[in-house]
Amino acid sequence: MSEIPEQASGGVVWQSSPPGSIYDYIRVASFSIGPDGLVEQWSRRAVDLFGVTAEEAMGKDPVEAFMPADLRERGHRRVREILDGKEWTGLVPFRIPGDDRPHGIAEMYVMPSETQSGERAALCIVVDVRALRRIETDLAASQAIFGQSPFGFLLFGTDLTVKRANRRFATVFGGSADDHRGRTVHDYLNRPEADRMTTALRGVLETGESVTDFEIVGAAPGARDRRHWSINLYRVHSGSGRPIGVAGLGIDVTRRHNAAREAASARRNLALLNEAGARIGNSLDLEATARELLDVAVPGFCDLASVDLYQGLLSGDEAPPGRWGSSHDVGYGGSAELRRVAVASAVSDTPLRTGEGDGSGGGCHGSEPIELGAVHRYPFNSPCAGALRTGRLRTVPGVDGDLVQSTLVVPMVAHDTVVGLVQFSRAKGSESFGERDRALAVELAARAAVCIDNARLYRREHERALILQRSLLPPGDPEAAGLDIACRYLPGTAATEVGGDWFDVIELPGHRTALVIGDVMGRGLRAAVAMGELRTAVRTLAQLDLEPAEVLSHLDEIARGLGAPIGAQQSRGHKSRGPELSEVYLATCVYAVYDPVTRRCTFANAGHLPPVLVEPGEEALLLDVPPGMPLGVGGEPFEEVEVELPEGALLALYTDGLVESRDHPLDEGLSAFRRALTDPARPLEDVCDRVLTSLETGHGEDDIALLMARIQGLPAEAVGDWRLPREPRSVGRARELARTQLAAWGLEPLVDTVELLVSELVTNALRYGEGEIRLRLLRDRTLVCEVWDAGLVQPRRRRAKDTDEGGRGLQLVGLLSSSWGSRRTPRGKTVWFELALPDGEGSAEPTVEQLLSMF
């Protein structure tokens, strides 16, 4: 920039140049030599160059003053020639006066001149050769950097036009380097990118702050692929520090950008797989697992997604939905019914639609989208059906006017079984699916498929376990004469919901009830199976009407026979320790028989926790029942204890999972259990709930079984009890007593049947029994008749021949009663029969056909 221009004659504009011109940089100095060969004038630049003031130089011979002694003769000769009118240019070594001053070389241009009087003189122009060499080096370096650089190099002027471009830039954008002079960034980039670049150039020029790694995107002339360049901009100054433009260095970083994008994609995929491992399969629910897959995929991997599962899989079919074998053929042929169980979208609420049409083209289904929960089929020739048949991924492009750019149709394959189909879609404007994306889609679908298949297997095993559980526990709410019963069962194994604890309520003859609770040591399905075998054995033994101690003795023998010999396990890697050894099943059990007539209960215990009894107005106490050894140990007899239970008392049988845990010892648990039973007058179901909610059971560590019964004995008016002498007239007396009692109970429709059956039983007692005869009638939910005697011979029903005059009495009893039987007593036996109470719609008299069937 010039300062104040001045108009001179002739139209020439004179102006002063600012500091920093080329002359300042190369350090040009001047001095003059007079006719006498002495210095007449000495410029200030000469002072700077030689370090000699004008006073020291004026009037001195320059040869003598500045040249080394060995060159002075040549110097004097050269000065004489110049004063004779010759010009001379050359290098002149010089010595700065003073012993400690350095020596140098100057390039000197000597021009002859004349004084005012016409005498010969000379004007000398001197340049320091060192400054010239620095300029040459700088120019060579500048040319090497600018012209020979493998990167594009531009120099923008202060008007932001190109002042100079190097060869590399011209190679990329065409033409020669000079062809780019005067252009702007708008000649190379699209408008948005050019505006960004212009703003950056202007900012660097105005502030002087450099810009590094400024990335722009564009395409070279004639090329379609988009390139990425990293631009470094810095302001260029003159020697005086005046800004003269902006230099730009451009590096093509397309490969680096692509590599970074690939690395980012790989990191994203790894993160998605890691997230998938953490989030998919947290539940064993099929639909929940499908939703977990889409929660991971949308929007991290795709914009829209859906999951279809085979309807047969969801309905619990035993056969796998589709088997993908060596022939790559799925059993359903890709056209079986599927249900859409999950959808997700990050761009709209519109359901996913993979193409259109009838399936013969590129689409999977018609124009109508599949709604969540809909059951549908894919056309046989559609990509979706093909993916299901082959077990291979298909890529389906979007259609014009649709939101979807492309879709990955991925079959969900687990253990060579196709369980469904997942579709990942990206909307238009999103990045297209690449090979990494396809591999990731297959991996995500496979992980979800394994979880879904595991959920399917779990659900199948779960249903089987529930069936087993329902078959092992008493159905519904157990009922018993003279007892109000409530029960709870909580398996410790949440996966199968079955365990080794069990309880049972068994009706016995004479309105008696057997209460059973037991615990097989161990957990899970194996313990449940052993428990089922013991429970079946208990029910069988109970029907024999054995004493409680006898029942436990037989159970002990059965438990010892349940285990399989260890030798049978050798195929599983176990070493045999002798043929006599076996896998032992140990169990604890309490077996109690309650008689509602006497309100007495007989207990026998095989290593189980003692029952708890709560009498009205009293604290809960543990019954002193000898525990005995667990079932399966053998060798020790079991003892019985008979306890009279008052009306309204509460009896509780339980397993150790209720009162013992890792954090609470058994004594603390028993004390807490007894405290929870302090209000036995509440409804029995409420008492059970209070116990389970108030105790810290640590549920999940062990099974919990709880059986509670409130004592409600039969009232005296519901019992008829008589003793008859051993004589024939007792048969008629028994009929009379039965008829009178039934009339008092209002059971006249049963009189004839009861009289007939009582006659048969009393007659048999007189004929085959011993001692005194006892007749007892019990009315509760049914009518029970019992005939006691001291004989030990059990009655046996047989088929009478046509010619036999007798032997049909027990046949008649079996025909006319709902059930009958006999049991041993401490002093003999009891024969009994049971009749249903009349419902008011007629008598229970036998038909002629029923009577004739005995003959």
Side-chain angles (χ1 to χ4, degrees):
M1 299 288 295
S2 61
E3 292 181 355
I4 303 176
E6 298 179 359
Q7 186 73 31
S9 59
V12 179
V13 177
W14 295 82
Q15 63 183 14
S16 59
S17 298
S21 66
I22 186 67
Y23 299 104
D24 293 327
Y25 190 75
I26 62 176
R27 302 178 66 185
V28 176
S30 65
F31 63 91
S32 61
I33 300 175
D36 55 0
L38 302 179
V39 175
E40 285 188 343
Q41 293 178 342
W42 191 258
S43 68
R44 292 182 179 178
R45 291 287 179 87
V47 174
D48 296 336
L49 177 62
F50 295 104
V52 177
T53 63
E55 290 78 5
E56 294 174 338
M58 294 291 288
K60 291 186 177 179
D61 184 347
V63 175
E64 296 292 334
F66 302 111
M67 294 188 70
D70 55 340
L71 296 177
R72 289 174 183 172
E73 182 178 353
R74 289 183 57 192
H76 286 298
R77 185 168 61 250
R78 188 67 65 189
V79 170
R80 285 195 296 272
E81 292 177 354
I82 292 171
L83 291 177
D84 287 339
K86 291 183 179 179
E87 292 186 0
W88 181 81
T89 301
L91 296 177
V92 177
F94 66 89
R95 177 182 60 84
I96 298 176
D99 295 337
D100 57 346
R101 298 296 182 89
H103 294 260
I105 297 178
E107 184 170 86
M108 186 176 295
Y109 176 49
V110 183
M111 297 171 291
S113 63
E114 292 183 357
T115 64
Q116 188 175 5
S117 59
E119 293 179 300
R120 300 282 180 91
L123 177 62
C124 299
I125 305 298
V126 183
V127 178
D128 189 347
V129 172
R130 292 174 299 176
L132 292 177
R133 297 294 179 266
R134 283 198 300 269
I135 292 175
E136 291 176 354
T137 302
D138 291 345
L139 289 175
S142 175
Q143 180 62 27
I145 294 174
F146 194 85
Q148 302 175 24
S149 172
F151 310 117
F153 213 116
L154 288 176
L155 180 61
F156 295 93
T158 54
D159 57 355
L160 303 186
T161 61
V162 177
K163 300 301 182 183
R164 188 175 179 185
N166 71 344
R167 188 183 309 162
R168 175 59 181 169
F169 184 86
T171 301
V172 175
F173 286 92
S176 64
D178 293 337
D179 294 337
H180 296 277
R181 296 180 184 272
R183 295 183 179 179
T184 66
V185 292
H186 287 82
D187 295 317
Y188 307 105
L189 303 173
N190 57 40
R191 185 177 183 85
E193 292 293 278
D195 291 342
R196 289 180 58 238
M197 185 69 175
T198 300
T199 302
L201 287 170
R202 187 172 290 112
V204 172
L205 187 62
E206 293 175 354
T207 65
E209 296 181 0
S210 301
V211 173
T212 59
D213 290 331
F214 180 76
E215 189 168 315
I216 59 174
V217 180
R224 294 183 178 180
D225 57 327
R226 290 156 55 92
R227 311 296 295 178
H228 293 260
W229 290 285
S230 175
I231 307 298
N232 296 310
L233 302 175
Y234 58 93
R235 191 168 67 181
V236 180
H237 304 85
S238 66
S240 62
R242 176 172 57 90
I244 60 174
V246 177
L249 177 65
I251 303 173
D252 190 337
V253 293
T254 304
R255 291 185 179 179
R256 187 176 71 186
H257 176 81
N258 293 340
R261 185 177 61 182
E262 288 291 320
S265 176
R267 288 193 299 269
R268 181 200 65 186
N269 291 356
L270 288 175
L272 279 174
L273 288 177
N274 182 60
E275 185 181 5
R279 297 180 60 180
I280 299 178
N282 290 324
S283 68
L284 290 172
D285 181 80
L286 300 178
E287 291 85 352
T289 302
R291 290 192 296 270
E292 289 166 355
L293 168 61
L294 299 194
D295 289 341
V296 172
V298 179
F301 177 68
C302 62
D303 301 314
L304 304 96
S306 70
V307 176
D308 298 319
L309 297 180
Y310 277 116
Q311 179 67 8
L313 180 145
L314 295 169
S315 60
D317 290 350
E318 287 292 324
R323 177 65 60 180
W324 179 44
S326 59
S327 61
H328 288 197
D329 184 35
V330 171
Y332 279 123
S335 59
E337 286 188 341
L338 298 105
R339 185 194 304 172
R340 180 142 296 180
V341 296
V343 294
S345 174
V347 293
S348 75
D349 296 329
T350 303
L352 178 69
R353 186 173 66 210
T354 309
E356 295 182 355
D358 59 1
S360 59
C364 279
H365 46 75
S367 58
E368 291 299 324
I370 300 174
E371 300 293 336
L372 179 64
V375 177
H376 63 95
R377 294 175 183 266
Y378 287 115
F380 185 83
N381 293 325
S382 66
C384 294
L388 289 170
R389 283 195 304 273
T390 62
R392 294 180 177 177
L393 176 146
R394 298 288 184 92
T395 302
V396 181
V399 297
D400 294 338
D402 197 2
L403 176 67
V404 175
Q405 175 192 123
S406 62
T407 299
L408 298 180
V409 179
V410 190
M412 305 176 73
V413 182
H415 309 121
D416 291 338
T417 298
V418 178
V419 298
L421 189 75
V422 59
Q423 300 181 48
F424 302 109
S425 298
R426 286 183 179 173
K428 291 182 178 178
S430 298
E431 187 178 354
S432 301
F433 288 114
E435 287 301 320
R436 290 181 182 271
D437 296 324
R438 293 180 178 86
L440 176 62
V442 171
E443 180 66 22
L444 289 175
R447 292 195 178 195
V450 170
C451 295
I452 287 174
D453 194 49
N454 289 340
R456 176 181 69 87
L457 296 175
Y458 161 76
R459 186 171 66 179
R460 184 184 67 186
E461 296 302 319
H462 178 69
E463 291 174 352
R464 292 176 177 176
L466 289 180
I467 294 173
L468 176 61
Q469 179 192 32
R470 286 191 291 267
S471 67
L472 296 179
L473 296 178
D477 296 324
E479 295 181 355
L483 293 176
D484 180 16
I485 295 178
C487 52
R488 296 290 187 273
Y489 174 72
L490 300 176
T493 305
T496 60
E497 296 194 7
V498 294
D501 291 11
W502 92 94
F503 63 90
D504 209 343
V505 179
I506 307 171
E507 294 188 48
L508 299 178
H511 287 314
R512 294 172 305 134
T513 303
L515 302 176
V516 188
I517 195 160
D519 181 2
V520 176
M521 297 180 186
R523 299 179 63 180
L525 201 58
R526 176 180 174 275
V529 171
M531 176 264 285
E533 294 178 308
L534 290 177
R535 177 180 177 273
T536 302
V538 170
R539 280 193 159 263
T540 303
L541 294 170
Q543 297 305 317
L544 298 177
D545 211 352
L546 302 176
E547 296 297 324
E550 291 183 85
V551 171
L552 293 186
S553 296
H554 286 293
L555 281 180
D556 181 55
E557 293 291 336
I558 293 172
R560 282 188 288 169
L562 289 180
I566 291 181
Q569 301 175 354
Q570 290 181 358
S571 60
R572 299 195 296 270
H574 297 275
K575 294 182 179 180
S576 176
R577 292 171 289 175
E580 76 284 353
L581 298 179
S582 63
E583 189 177 14
V584 178
Y585 284 82
L586 297 179
T588 62
C589 179
V590 169
Y591 186 88
V593 175
Y594 171 69
D595 188 341
V597 178
T598 62
R599 289 200 306 272
R600 299 187 71 84
C601 189
T602 304
F603 296 91
N605 190 350
H608 202 80
L609 295 172
V612 174
L613 179 64
V614 187
E615 297 184 6
E618 302 291 337
E619 293 184 355
L621 57 89
L622 299 176
L623 292 179
D624 187 12
V625 179
M629 299 298 293
L631 302 176
V633 175
E636 293 291 334
F638 297 97
E639 299 183 39
E640 292 180 358
V641 173
E642 188 176 61
V643 179
E644 184 174 350
L645 305 177
E647 185 76 16
L650 186 64
L651 178 66
L653 305 177
Y654 53 95
T655 57
D656 58 357
L658 182 67
V659 295
E660 186 178 25
S661 66
R662 297 175 183 174
D663 301 326
H664 301 281
L666 179 59
D667 291 342
E668 292 183 8
L670 288 173
S671 299
F673 180 40
R674 293 167 57 191
R675 288 194 299 270
L677 299 174
T678 54
D679 189 10
R682 300 176 61 184
L684 205 55
E685 294 291 338
D686 294 345
V687 176
C688 284
D689 293 336
R690 175 193 174 105
V691 168
L692 293 179
T693 56
S694 61
L695 297 185
E696 297 183 17
T697 61
H699 179 233
E701 300 177 9
D702 197 3
D703 309 327
I704 295 175
L706 175 63
L707 177 61
M708 304 187 72
R710 178 171 284 123
I711 305 304
Q712 297 174 351
L714 287 180
E717 59 271 16
V719 180
D721 194 352
W722 307 276
R723 297 182 184 274
L724 304 172
R726 190 172 187 80
E727 55 188 32
R729 65 187 181 91
S730 293
V731 176
R733 178 60 178 164
R735 288 198 299 267
E736 181 184 354
L737 291 172
R739 182 172 56 253
T740 303
Q741 185 65 62
L742 291 178
W745 287 341
L747 301 178
E748 288 82 356
L750 299 180
V751 170
D752 293 339
T753 303
V754 172
E755 282 188 348
L756 178 61
L757 299 184
V758 166
S759 296
E760 290 293 335
L761 295 188
V762 174
T763 300
N764 285 342
L766 289 172
R767 181 176 300 174
Y768 305 109
E770 299 176 7
E772 187 182 34
I773 298 172
R774 182 181 178 186
L775 172 64
R776 188 166 75 166
L777 293 178
L778 306 175
R779 180 177 64 88
D780 192 65
R781 292 172 297 146
T782 61
L783 177 67
V784 174
C785 177
E786 298 176 331
V787 176
W788 307 42
D789 70 80
L792 298 178
V793 178
Q794 297 290 322
R796 182 175 60 88
R797 183 178 177 180
R798 64 184 179 86
R799 183 74 178 181
K801 299 179 181 179
D802 295 342
T803 59
D804 291 343
E805 296 181 0
R808 296 179 177 84
L810 292 181
Q811 284 185 262
L812 187 64
V813 173
L815 175 65
L816 299 180
S817 65
S818 58
S819 61
W820 77 279
S822 67
R823 68 178 185 273
R824 290 181 300 170
T825 64
R827 297 181 181 86
K829 68 177 180 297
T830 299
V831 182
W832 58 272
F833 67 84
E834 185 175 3
L835 292 174
L837 298 181
D839 56 8
E841 297 180 356
S843 69
E845 296 293 335
T847 64
V848 176
E849 289 78 9
Q850 289 175 325
L851 293 174
L852 291 177
S853 66
M854 297 185 297
F855 300 93

